[in-house]
């Protein structure tokens, strides 16, 4: 069984790095699905680093749908995937959304082989191989959406006592070799990887055949234009870096979320002031909830209810962070950057083509109890006119300084 070593080629943060641990502190193997119908170690790494602000990809291993296994981190790396259990767990992620898809035979085989190999290497009993949702605090998370009883039974097959069976043989092989500069006429796996990535970004590189032909060069040029870098059709260091970190719009988010982030030490540090806030029964109450409500312009009753959760989701959507309605470390950080009850007066708001968009529009819509889509359209204008009529000020459907002051007492 070959495992592709991608430890040095995946996207990673230039400023943050994961903590390390002794291998002996590892007690669990965590099984995840990606909750995306497709994906790869490369795509997840970009998502975790660029969207979630993590030091690197959250998983130690990723198993593709065709059964190929990528090694992403040394086992000593305390990456983020199971929140407070991060410090003693190793994460294996199977690509797929198992709420709607099944895992493939090849994927099942590979995942069993790598799990058995880790159990043997780390001396972990089969009962400590857990699905994400079996970890404390994660009963709500549909991950990996396969029966973990069955999975453990597969691990137990052909002999109950794993320690007496030889560990499966695994070999680590280097990922696609990396030449510094790729140009017309070059061939190889690295060209193929380049073509796959260009294809993923809709740059139309032609057939993915591992040959750097004119179509590939055209696609590189297309990408260089989009990325606003030197346009020469040659794949050099600058293009490599841009291409690695480039996020295509509309990429389906992967199931990892900020709640996977804290480990015991970080959590302990934060717990003095920072609980994770979410909608549970009984509802959470406190000054921290009130603080969040104030920042998001919700009724400040200090109870984390439906309205607060909805406001948190809206906020997360605006900020481009994972939308889970939970105030975890990343949302707290984003909230810290938000002053007061939202945006202050920025500009005259009126119906224009195209419609004005922004947080100021959202704030107006919220104040007027409208659907908050952030677009200043006819419906918003009508509501503004009604408001102005009720306030006995000039009725023009335009939010200027006076209307803004009346709306927000600012
Ligand atoms: Zn998971």
């Amino acid at each position: 069984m070959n495992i592709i070593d991608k430890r040095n080629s995946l996207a990673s943060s230039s400023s943050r790095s994961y903590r390390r641990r002794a291998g002996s502190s590892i007690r669990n193997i965590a099984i995840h699905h990606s909750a995306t119908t497709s994906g790869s170690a490369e795509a997840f790494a970009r998502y975790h680093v660029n969207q979630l602000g993590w030091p690197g990809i959250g998983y130690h291993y990723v198993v593709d749908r065709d059964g190929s296994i990528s090694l992403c981190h040394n086992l000593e790396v305390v990456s983020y995937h199971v929140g407070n259990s991060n410090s003693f767990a190793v994460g294996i992620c199977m690509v797929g959304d198992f709420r709607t898809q099944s895992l493939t035979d090849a994927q099942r085989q590979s995942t069993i082989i790598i799990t058995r190999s880790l159990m043997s290497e780390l001396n972990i009993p089969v009962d400590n191989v857990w699905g994400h949702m079996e970890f404390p605090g994660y009963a709500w998370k549909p991950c990996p959406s396969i029966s973990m009883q069955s999975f453990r039974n597969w691990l137990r097959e052909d002999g109950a006592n794993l320690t007496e069976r030889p560990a499966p043989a695994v070999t680590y092989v280097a990922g696609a070799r990396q030449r510094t500069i790729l140009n017309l006429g070059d061939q190889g796996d690295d060209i193929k990887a380049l073509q796959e990535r260009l294809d993923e970004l809709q740059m139309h590189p032609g057939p993915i055949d591992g040959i750097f032909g004119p179509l590939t060069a055209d696609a590189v040029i297309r990408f260089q234009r989009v990325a606003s870098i030197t346009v020469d059709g040659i794949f050099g260091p600058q293009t490599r870096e841009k291409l690695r970190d480039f996020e295509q719009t509309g990429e389906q988010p992967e199931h990892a979320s900020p709640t996977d982030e804290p480990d015991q030490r970080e959590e302990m540090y934060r717990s003095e002031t920072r609980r994770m806030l979410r909608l549970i029964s009984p509802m959470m109450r406190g000054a921290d909830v009130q603080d969040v409500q104030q920042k998001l312009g919700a009724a400040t009753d200090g109870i984390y209810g439906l309205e607060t959760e909805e406001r948190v989701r809206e906020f997360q959507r605006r900020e481009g962070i994972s939308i889970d309605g939970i105030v975890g470390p990343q949302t707290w950080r984003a909230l810290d950057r938000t002053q007061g009850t939202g945006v202050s007066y920025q500009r005259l708001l009126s119906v224009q083509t195209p419609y004005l968009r922004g947080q100021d529009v959202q704030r107006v819509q919220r104040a007027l109890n409208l659907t908050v889509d952030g677009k200043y359209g006819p419906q918003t204008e009508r509501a503004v006119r009604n408001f102005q009529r009720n306030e006995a000020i000039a009725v023009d459907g335009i939010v200027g300084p006076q209307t803004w002051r009346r709306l927000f007492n600012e």
Side-chain angles (χ1 to χ4, degrees):
M1 182 86 226
N2 282 346
I3 296 175
I4 307 160
D5 182 355
K6 297 183 179 172
R7 284 173 299 175
N8 295 316
S9 61
L10 299 176
S12 62
S13 163
S14 49
S15 54
R16 301 182 65 197
S17 56
Y18 282 127
R19 279 202 304 120
R20 307 273 152 167
R21 61 185 165 198
S24 56
S25 57
I26 301 172
R27 303 205 305 262
N28 287 95
I29 296 171
I31 305 294
H32 302 266
H33 73 150
S34 68
T36 56
T37 53
S38 60
S40 61
E42 285 79 4
F44 303 154
R46 284 193 297 275
Y47 179 69
H48 293 174
V49 172
N50 300 340
Q51 302 298 310
L52 301 183
W54 290 357
I57 187 172
Y59 311 113
H60 295 85
Y61 291 89
V62 171
V63 183
D64 288 358
R65 297 197 56 77
D66 68 2
S68 45
I69 306 176
S70 302
L71 168 65
C72 308
H73 287 303
N74 290 334
L75 299 177
E76 287 74 26
V77 172
V78 184
S79 54
Y80 301 153
H81 58 109
V82 280
N84 291 332
S85 306
N86 285 329
S87 57
F88 52 87
V90 172
I92 301 175
C93 178
M94 295 181 279
V95 176
D97 185 345
F98 300 150
R99 291 168 300 186
T100 56
Q101 289 174 302
S102 329
L103 68 170
T104 67
D105 284 344
Q107 201 169 28
R108 189 180 84 103
Q109 292 284 359
S110 294
T111 309
I112 286 173
I113 288 174
I114 188 61
T115 307
R116 279 181 175 162
S117 161
L118 289 169
M119 287 164 63
S120 155
E121 181 185 344
L122 300 165
N123 199 18
I124 292 175
V126 67
D127 289 328
N128 280 5
V129 178
W130 295 350
H132 189 171
M133 71 177 299
E134 294 177 306
F135 280 81
Y138 278 111
W140 54 276
K141 190 146 191 167
C143 178
S145 293
I146 58 167
S147 157
M148 283 307 295
Q149 281 314 334
S150 307
F151 188 82
R152 284 185 284 267
N153 284 336
W154 296 336
L155 290 171
R156 283 191 194 98
E157 268 166 27
D158 35 89
N161 197 340
L162 285 159
T163 52
E164 284 170 13
R165 199 177 47 226
V170 300
T171 319
Y172 289 90
V173 297
R177 72 201 154 97
Q178 289 214 336
R179 288 176 281 194
T180 320
I181 293 173
L182 301 175
N183 207 343
L184 264 180
D186 287 339
Q187 300 192 9
D189 283 349
D190 45 358
I191 306 287
K192 200 170 162 201
L194 167 64
Q195 291 169 329
E196 279 170 356
R197 178 75 177 128
L198 287 167
D199 187 53
E200 189 184 315
L201 293 174
Q202 317 278 319
M203 296 295 154
H204 312 294
I208 295 168
D209 54 6
I211 303 168
F212 198 122
L215 292 175
T216 309
D218 285 349
V220 169
I221 287 172
R222 240 169 254 133
F223 173 74
Q224 289 170 329
R225 288 221 179 86
V226 172
S228 307
I229 53 178
T230 315
V231 177
D232 57 9
I234 299 170
F235 185 68
Q238 189 191 29
T239 309
R240 177 189 305 279
E241 189 185 328
K242 280 280 177 194
L243 193 68
R244 191 194 61 192
D245 297 336
F246 203 83
E247 281 300 320
Q248 62 266 55
T249 50
E251 184 186 53
Q252 198 183 0
E254 193 262 339
H255 95 282
S257 65
T259 51
D260 300 329
E261 183 169 336
D263 65 20
Q264 286 170 318
R265 192 183 301 178
E266 279 158 309
E267 181 68 5
M268 224 181 299
Y269 165 73
R270 286 191 180 101
S271 60
E272 292 158 19
T273 50
R274 298 295 176 89
R275 288 190 292 174
M276 192 180 303
L277 301 179
R278 61 194 180 95
L279 183 57
I280 47 169
S281 179
M283 290 181 199
M284 299 179 83
R285 291 162 184 264
D288 47 359
V289 177
Q290 213 161 12
D291 184 34
V292 168
Q293 290 172 327
Q294 205 217 332
K295 286 198 157 166
L296 299 179
T300 50
D301 59 4
I303 303 169
Y304 201 97
L306 275 169
E307 193 212 349
T308 307
E309 193 200 36
E310 193 43 45
R311 290 289 157 89
V312 169
R313 284 177 187 276
E314 277 168 23
F315 175 74
Q316 290 170 329
R317 199 170 297 130
R318 269 202 312 273
E319 292 287 312
I321 56 184
S322 317
I323 303 163
D324 57 7
I326 298 170
V327 182
Q330 192 196 26
T331 305
W332 272 121
R333 276 201 300 276
L335 282 166
D336 286 343
R337 294 193 296 266
T338 305
Q339 296 301 315
T341 53
V343 286
S344 51
Y345 182 77
Q346 291 175 325
R347 56 185 172 166
L348 218 56
L349 297 175
S350 61
V351 175
Q352 296 179 18
T353 312
Y355 294 144
L356 292 177
R357 290 163 178 267
Q359 293 187 22
D360 47 356
V361 179
Q362 288 181 341
R363 192 165 176 213
V364 168
Q365 290 173 327
R366 249 193 311 271
L368 297 172
N369 267 323
L370 302 171
T371 311
V372 182
D373 62 2
K375 285 185 285 195
Y376 201 96
Q379 204 196 1
T380 307
E381 186 192 45
R382 218 163 22 244
V384 168
R385 283 179 186 278
N386 286 337
F387 174 79
Q388 291 169 328
R389 206 166 289 123
N390 290 338
E391 291 283 308
I393 53 177
V395 179
D396 56 8
I398 298 171
V399 179
Q402 186 190 35
T403 307
W404 186 275
R405 265 198 308 278
R406 292 292 179 103
L407 277 165
F408 305 114
N409 301 315
E410 278 174 11

